Amino acid sequence: MNSDALSQAVEVLRQAEIDGYDGLPEALFLLVSGLVPLPNVDLLVTNEAGQLLLTRRNDGFFQPSWHIPGGCMRYGERFERRVQETAQRELGCKVTMEPEPVAVRNVLRGENPRQPHPRERGHNVALLFRCALPEGFVLQNGDKRPQDNGYARWFDTLPEDFMTIQHVYLDVLRPWIRKEERT
């Protein structure tokens, strides 16, 4: 694309007066995600029994797998708000969070040849926050099945199909790694 056409495309987007405070339209979000790293928060949630809460990810961007719930930041948003919005969306409740992340990671998945635009959703800067659920919280999966996107479950150890890109957190997740796999 020549520079005039690119300048015109940028001007069209500026004139659209897109409000990034509530997120971007999906197509624009995907375009941006292929150009710059996206900041996101991930929620490290455990229960009194020491289990780790994971949710199922089953969409076109990642292999079906269990992952730590998370969400991408919006323009002007504080970490606390994104953590709460993510908890509400993925777990159905608000959480109590520690103010400082337990980990900050450069998450580079790279190109995804299964996508029409392979770089989309390929690079994040992820912040992992320790969170606690409200007292008496009970998982509510509704009519979701364990293989469905968004299904939540407690784990004593990381499942074999734990999302590969979240292996950047294995040092933090050491208590949930099977003893025979720690060596």
Side-chain angles (χ1 to χ4, degrees), residues 96-170:
T96 304
M97 63 176 276
E98 291 185 5
E100 297 298 322
V102 295
V104 178
R105 299 291 190 268
N106 184 36
V107 183
L108 183 58
R109 183 196 66 209
E111 294 190 5
N112 182 350
R114 295 179 296 142
Q115 293 297 319
H117 305 285
R119 291 178 58 184
E120 292 177 349
R121 303 291 310 261
H123 189 182
N124 290 80
V125 176
L127 295 94
L128 181 64
F129 288 92
R130 191 176 307 278
C131 299
L133 296 165
E135 192 171 321
F137 174 84
V138 177
L139 289 177
Q140 300 289 327
N141 283 308
D143 58 356
K144 291 180 186 169
R145 300 168 298 158
Q147 68 269 22
D148 291 342
N149 195 48
Y151 186 89
R153 182 179 151 201
W154 293 107
F155 286 87
D156 293 313
T157 58
L158 289 178
E160 287 186 24
D161 62 343
F162 179 64
M163 184 179 278
T164 304
I165 64 163
Q166 289 190 333
H167 285 201
V168 296
Y169 294 135
L170 288 180

